[in-house]
Amino acid sequence: MAGSTALMACHECDLLLRADHSLKEGVAKCPRCAAVLLKHKRHSLDLTLAYTVTGLILFTISNTFPIIGFHFEGQSTETILISGVRALLDQDMYMLAGLVFITTILAPFMQLATLLYVFLPLKFNRVAPYTAVVFRFVSAIRPWSMMEVFMLSILVSVVKLAAMATIVPGIALWSFGILIFALAAAASSLDPDLVWEKLEINA
Amino acid sequence: MNDQPNTWITAAAASLINCHSCGLLHEMTRAQAYCHRCGASLHLRKPNSLSRTWAYLLAGYILYIPANVLPIMTTTNLGSVQSDTILSGVSYLLASGSWLLALIIFIASVFVPVLKLIILSYLAISVQMHSSWHPRERTRLYRLAEIMGRWSMVDIYVVTLMVALVKIQGLADIDAGIGAIAFGAVVVLTMLAAMSFDPRLIWDNAENKK
């Protein structure tokens, strides 16, 4: 009998286990290798949606306002994230520009947009077309979203540049900071079983 | 089934395939190539896991040399040009007193990539030698390697920000160097190597020796 929902296998050590869906809240770990198996959260759907929408708003703010301003000898520059990518493109560093673009702009955006695409219809008890494909994409794109690393780099750059000139923090600096928390919160409140169970019911 | 260690079996031993995407178990029949719940393709283990991991690792080792030898950033200040590699950037930071920044950059750009390469190489070798050495600890090493990889991107983002900001006509100008491309490639390759390695292989061998 294929597709038994009472059994599951650990994705890191392949141990055959009995799935314990009675766990109301908390984390279930594999007894052999301590991998995190199931996470049951209350209000998962609502929380994930809230964080996703928040994230999208913050993302828009972060990419339209400047991150930092640099004043030196009467001249000043400001930069938004996309201009960093464009500066690399101007130097013909296409691959580097592509890497930075994907990891700091495209991947976070796709993460939020696909989450919204899947979970908004779910809130109204409907399943969007191609939900399975899109939701698989959500997990695939997650390792490529490196916003928190970018945040650390901003701090490093600010300290480095502050020695040279006057640094003015921009609005995007703060919105990036909160965006990181929103992304992390959305990822942690996400319960994939919500989606898979809905798909199974509709199938 | 969950509690007694001596009754533990892997799904593979029970002829069941675990869908990597939605976790649904399927019986191992020749016909079923796709998960019937989510549509992902089914594999008993990640396809060609070891050969792909080695391919990415070797490419990473090779590109690590130009990443450190070639400059990642060139500063033009009042006509004088200064090229910095990752290591010279670290020593410059040390010399100018920012030991904390130097430590961050050193850990992110030197320590992390090397450690990740070594850990993944060790894991791949241990699987190929059918070792049954402490599988739980090896799985922990794998998780560590997976998580810490992305932090190596710090230096690349710093270069990007510098290039974007410091564009003062006639006084200072910063350009990205070729070493940055090589270093970016190393980060991507080690991430791909971690993603292509199947940690379940560690346990497949540990099973047999029991």
Side-chain angles (χ1 to χ4, degrees):
Chain A
M1 28 122 228
S4 162
T5 48
L7 289 176
M8 63 179 292
C10 170
H11 61 274
E12 274 180 25
C13 71
D14 207 26
L15 184 66
L16 204 56
L17 296 161
R18 196 159 283 136
D20 189 4
H21 284 282
S22 65
L23 198 66
K24 272 300 154 203
E25 186 150 322
V27 176
K29 286 197 185 173
C30 169
R32 183 162 73 164
C33 74
V36 175
L37 297 172
L38 298 165
K39 283 184 284 190
H40 289 264
K41 290 153 202 124
R42 277 182 295 178
H43 312 300
S44 167
L45 183 56
D46 289 332
L47 279 177
T48 310
L49 260 181
Y51 291 130
T52 306
V53 173
T54 310
L56 279 168
I57 296 173
L58 287 167
F59 181 83
T60 315
I61 298 176
S62 306
N63 278 296
T64 42
F65 288 92
I67 310 174
I68 22 179
F70 178 74
H71 303 289
F72 185 65
E73 303 280 321
Q75 294 187 40
S76 62
T77 50
E78 276 183 333
T79 183
I80 60 175
L81 186 48
I82 195 86
S83 29
V85 177
R86 195 174 298 153
L88 286 174
L89 278 176
D90 286 340
Q91 289 179 27
D92 296 329
M93 299 245 163
Y94 300 116
M95 304 227 284
L96 206 56
L99 182 62
V100 175
F101 177 71
I102 291 176
T103 54
T104 54
I105 298 179
L106 195 63
F109 175 72
M110 295 255 72
Q111 213 184 317
L112 291 167
T114 48
L115 271 179
L116 191 67
Y117 179 83
V118 169
F119 279 90
L120 195 56
L122 276 183
K123 176 75 182 158
F124 298 106
N125 257 306
R126 284 213 262 269
V127 178
Y130 299 110
T131 289
V133 180
V134 173
F135 195 62
R136 278 192 278 133
F137 188 69
V138 173
S139 326
I141 202 85
R142 181 116 75 85
W144 297 102
S145 167
M146 302 188 194
M147 290 261 78
E148 61 282 4
V149 182
F150 184 67
M151 200 64 204
L152 181 63
S153 323
I154 297 179
L155 293 174
V156 170
S157 308
V158 165
V159 176
K160 258 183 138 170
L161 291 171
M164 264 195 246
T166 324
I167 300 289
V168 176
I171 297 176
L173 187 66
W174 309 110
S175 63
F176 262 127
I178 310 176
L179 174 61
I180 292 170
F181 283 107
L183 280 170
S188 89
S189 70
L190 171 63
D191 190 2
D193 288 329
L194 262 181
V195 181
W196 303 129
E197 274 157 24
K198 265 282 156 46
L199 274 182
E200 211 160 297
I201 296 174
N202 284 29
Chain B
M1 177 197 265
N2 292 5
D3 308 317
Q4 325 297 100
N6 54 358
T7 61
W8 285 347
I9 52 167
T10 60
S15 301
L16 292 169
I17 299 184
N18 189 17
C19 170
H20 67 267
S21 163
C22 70
L24 194 61
L25 281 174
H26 297 75
E27 274 174 14
M28 221 190 298
T29 58
R30 191 86 54 96
Q32 206 160 29
Y34 295 97
C35 171
H36 62 249
R37 182 161 72 171
C38 72
S41 52
L42 288 176
H43 300 285
L44 186 58
R45 295 285 176 262
K46 288 182 194 169
N48 302 317
S49 171
L50 279 177
S51 43
R52 281 193 300 150
T53 305
W54 274 121
Y56 292 131
L57 283 178
L58 287 173
Y61 277 118
I62 294 173
L63 282 173
Y64 192 68
I65 300 172
N68 274 297
V69 166
L70 295 175
I72 61 165
M73 195 163 77
T74 309
T75 312
T76 314
N77 200 348
L78 292 166
S80 70
V81 181
Q82 185 192 335
S83 287
D84 271 314
T85 64
I86 297 176
L87 285 171
S88 73
V90 171
S91 63
Y92 174 77
L93 281 171
L94 266 179
S96 57
S98 322
W99 62 268
L100 184 62
L101 283 192
L103 187 67
I104 293 177
I105 299 287
F106 181 78
I107 291 178
S109 305
V110 179
F111 189 66
V112 167
V114 170
L115 191 62
K116 193 167 176 186
L117 283 170
I118 292 178
I119 288 179
L120 286 172
S121 308
Y122 164 69
L123 287 176
I125 293 176
S126 76
V127 165
Q128 268 176 302
M129 298 206 328
H130 302 287
S131 153
S132 58
W133 184 85
H134 292 133
R136 194 188 271 224
E137 277 65 30
R138 279 189 286 158
T139 312
R140 281 207 196 113
L141 273 178
Y142 173 72
R143 279 182 218 136
L144 178 70
E146 254 198 315
I147 295 173
M148 66 182 195
R150 62 234 312 273
W151 292 95
S152 310
M153 286 290 282
V154 172
D155 226 348
I156 294 191
Y157 293 139
V158 169
V159 170
T160 308
L161 284 168
M162 296 281 177
V163 166
L165 279 173
V166 187
K167 291 239 169 283
I168 312 294
Q169 291 287 50
L171 282 174
D173 195 13
I174 296 189
D175 290 322
I178 307 178
I181 303 180
F183 189 70
V186 170
V187 177
V188 171
L189 286 167
T190 54
M191 280 191 71
L192 290 171
M195 292 199 279
S196 66
F197 181 77
D198 194 334
R200 295 174 292 189
L201 292 171
I202 301 175
W203 294 93
D204 284 342
N205 293 309
E207 267 278 296
N208 297 336
K209 287 283 177 68
K210 226 173 262 185

